[in-house]
Every structure is written in C-alpha cells, then in structure tokens.
C-alpha cells in the first residue's frame, strides 16, 4: 500500500523470504518466499517454497512474481 501511495501507482510487487544459504530455521526454512501484489485495490500474497541454492531461489522468485503479474494484468 505504501509503494502505491508514495509513488501514485496502481501496481506494486513486494518480495520477502530466505534465499540462503544461511538464515533458515524449522519454522522459516531456506526457500520460503512470500510475494505480495497490489493491483489497483486488490491485494494478495503467494507463499512459495523453492528448492535449490541462493541463485536458483532468487531466479524462481523473480519468475514467479513476473509470471503472476502478467497473468493478473491479462485478467484486468
């Protein structure tokens, strides 16, 4: 919401998670990634669990965010 408000935009994407190789725990393992979207007034969050090393997790995160954004924009 802050991004949309501060930049007067109708779309925002936010990512948080643990790409590794360190920082994981039983509750929040390496590969746990949340991607949040705000498109106009619609807000939704996708929880993901990606495998692989840090680079693979980051690449999969980007791909998931981009693919989801494209899908949602096509439905507008």
């Amino acid at each position: 919401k802050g991004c949309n408000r501060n930049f007067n935009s109708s779309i925002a994407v936010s990512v948080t998670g643990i790409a590794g190789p360190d920082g994981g725990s039983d509750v929040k393992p390496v590969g746990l990634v949340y991607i949040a979207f705000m498109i106009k007034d619609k807000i939704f969050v996708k929880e993901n669990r990606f495998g692989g090393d840090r680079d693979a997790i980051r690449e999969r995160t980007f791909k998931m965010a981009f693919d989801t954004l494209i899908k949602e924009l096509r439905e507008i």
Side-chain angles (χ1 to χ4, degrees):
K1 288 180 178 179
C3 183
N4 288 33
R5 182 180 58 249
N6 290 336
F7 295 101
N8 195 30
S9 66
S10 58
I11 299 170
V13 180
S14 177
V15 175
T16 189
I18 303 170
D22 300 322
S25 69
D26 290 339
V27 176
K28 296 179 184 177
V30 169
L32 176 63
V33 176
Y34 293 91
I35 307 172
F37 301 85
M38 184 171 181
I39 301 172
K40 297 189 178 188
D41 292 327
K42 179 182 175 184
I43 299 172
F44 61 99
V45 178
K46 294 186 82 159
E47 178 182 304
N48 303 275
R49 293 185 187 253
F50 299 121
D53 63 11
R54 180 179 179 82
D55 289 337
I57 292 168
R58 293 177 71 188
E59 184 174 330
R60 289 179 181 135
T61 299
F62 169 79
K63 182 169 179 12
M64 178 64 73
F66 187 77
D67 289 350
T68 302
L69 182 59
I70 294 299
K71 176 183 170 281
E72 292 295 322
L73 290 175
R74 285 186 175 147
E75 293 178 9
I76 292 177

